Amino acid sequence: MLIQLLLASSTVLLVALLGGFLLMLARPWLSWMVPVLIGLAIGVLLGSAWLHLIPEALESASSSVFIMLMVLLGFLLFHLLEQGLHWHHHHVPDGDARLAQYAKMNLVGDGLHNAVDGVLIAASFMVDPALGWATTLAVVWHELPKEISDVAVLMHGGASLKRAIVLNTLCSLPVFAGALLLYALGQWLVLPLSALLAITAGGFSYIALIDLYPLLKSDVKRTSWLQQAALFCGLGLMLSFLLLEGH
């Protein structure tokens, strides 16, 4: 089972690389695509949080109030984390390679999300390998549009395309940590999956609404209407995944 678990986790990592590869193919159009993909990122983050993570957390929890408190906790934790990054930014000399804070926050949220995905994949494999592969397919199904938009957020935040792909791929590595942690400790440790899902949803909501949405409001270029369309497209993608899964 361990080999299958590692293969499934590697599939998630490959999706992150695929998202970067697709943007490399579109390099000639990146100057106008990246602002539009910011809108897609907002839609994907909000759709992932409110159409997938929160409902899934509610299904496995005994108290809806507890789950919503965890969502609020995730939102506030990311606020405190951003304040810490802001303090660090003012106490370290500036450099050309410095990323914008919203790009750093998206990295943190993506890493946490991938760790939770690893836990979910491992939990499914421990029940039944077929269920494990079905869960992996569902994770990959959701991840591709998100990985593309994550690379775009990093580029908008000051990273080159190559650096954005590397950073985004590195943020996929926690999927191995989450999967192996549950595999190693699953016999003795019960991880609060519903709470982790809800906290991740709160973090995604913070990044989408506080960090990324103001970028749309401040953009007065001709691409602004495309950004709004991309936002609703991102929401539509997450909703279509939900409907295709039969929930």
Side-chain angles (χ1 to χ4, degrees):
M1 186 181 73
L2 179 60
I3 299 299
Q4 292 190 73
L5 184 57
L6 291 175
L7 286 173
S9 300
S10 298
T11 304
V12 178
L13 182 66
L14 289 175
V15 170
L17 286 170
L18 178 59
F21 177 71
L22 290 175
L23 283 183
M24 288 185 69
L25 293 178
R27 187 188 291 268
W29 305 281
L30 283 181
S31 60
W32 70 267
M33 279 183 63
V34 169
V36 173
L37 288 173
I38 293 296
L40 180 68
I42 295 172
V44 168
L45 285 168
L46 289 177
S48 181
W50 292 92
L51 298 178
H52 293 272
L53 296 177
I54 292 176
E56 192 169 343
L58 288 170
E59 284 181 7
S60 57
S62 58
S63 170
S64 59
V65 174
F66 171 75
I67 292 302
M68 299 316 294
L69 283 174
M70 290 299 101
V71 174
L72 181 59
L73 175 63
F75 192 94
L76 295 176
L77 283 175
F78 272 68
H79 166 71
L80 293 174
L81 176 61
E82 185 166 50
Q83 294 306 306
L85 289 174
H86 183 70
W87 180 88
H88 181 72
H89 174 79
H90 285 288
H91 288 77
V92 176
D94 288 333
D96 292 337
R98 184 165 300 282
L99 283 175
Q101 281 185 201
Y102 64 82
K104 295 178 183 177
M105 294 298 294
N106 196 61
L107 283 173
V108 173
D110 193 32
L112 177 59
H113 183 221
N114 284 317
V116 173
D117 281 343
V119 171
L120 293 173
I121 289 171
S124 300
F125 269 102
M126 292 176 74
V127 174
D128 178 49
L131 178 60
W133 284 112
T135 301
T136 302
L137 180 61
V139 168
V140 168
W141 184 246
H142 294 84
E143 281 297 301
L144 183 56
K146 186 176 183 305
E147 296 299 343
I148 294 174
S149 58
D150 284 339
V151 174
V153 169
L154 289 169
M155 292 181 66
H156 196 282
S160 65
L161 176 57
K162 181 179 179 180
R163 186 186 180 203
I165 292 173
V166 171
L167 289 174
N168 190 56
T169 303
L170 289 175
C171 271
S172 296
L173 293 178
V175 69
F176 291 96
L180 293 175
L181 176 65
L182 187 64
Y183 178 79
L185 303 178
Q187 304 297 327
W188 307 279
L189 178 66
V190 178
L191 295 177
L193 283 181
S194 59
L196 289 174
L197 290 168
I199 289 172
T200 303
F204 277 12
S205 298
Y206 183 91
I207 294 166
L209 298 175
I210 305 300
D211 288 330
L212 298 184
Y213 188 71
L215 298 178
L216 292 191
K217 297 183 69 176
S218 64
D219 191 353
V220 295
K221 298 179 182 178
R222 288 179 297 175
T223 56
S224 68
W225 72 270
L226 289 173
Q227 288 179 310
Q228 303 297 333
L231 189 159
F232 286 101
C233 182
L235 285 171
L237 278 172
M238 294 298 104
L239 179 59
S240 66
F241 294 157
L242 190 70
L243 296 175
L244 287 171
E245 288 169 359
H247 288 295

